[in-house]
Amino acid sequence: MICHNKYNHICLYSFFKYKRIIKSETIHHIIEIEEDRNKSLDMDNLIPVSNSAHIEIHSLYNRDKINTQKELFEMIKKWEKLYETER
């Protein structure tokens, strides 16, 4: 819930990728838990997304995980720069 609140319940993926404001429904671990359990609760590794965005992200992970992860981290940085959220 903290992650949803931090980003005003907005799906950051849809916001930056498609310029659409859609309510976030789930939290995506950018670096997946299987890769690094220590990042499972790291706020810098969590991004709020809609269910459809979550499916799209995992599909992209199958094609180019590294660049998709970079893109997601950049979305968080853009949001923080634009809206100066507390870390």
Side-chain angles (χ1 to χ4, degrees), residues 5-75:
N5 290 340
K6 179 177 178 180
Y7 299 104
N8 299 319
H9 297 266
I10 293 173
C11 170
L12 293 193
Y13 185 80
S14 299
F15 184 78
F16 288 110
K17 186 87 170 181
Y18 301 113
K19 310 288 189 251
R20 297 182 63 211
I21 296 175
I22 296 175
K23 184 178 180 184
S24 63
E25 300 167 289
T26 192
I27 301 299
H28 175 71
H29 294 86
I30 300 171
I31 296 175
E32 296 177 292
I33 295 170
E34 298 82 33
E35 288 179 70
D36 187 346
R37 278 201 157 314
N38 294 323
K39 294 190 181 278
S40 64
L41 297 176
D42 181 349
M43 287 295 288
D44 294 330
N45 186 51
L46 304 174
I47 186 169
V49 295
S50 67
N51 289 333
S52 60
H54 199 220
I55 291 166
E56 184 174 337
I57 290 165
H58 278 283
S59 176
L60 291 169
Y61 271 27
N62 290 331
R63 287 185 256 147
D64 188 357
K65 188 174 194 173
I66 301 293
N67 283 321
T68 303
Q69 288 173 322
K70 286 179 185 175
E71 184 178 4
L72 295 173
F73 283 124
E74 282 301 313
M75 289 176 182

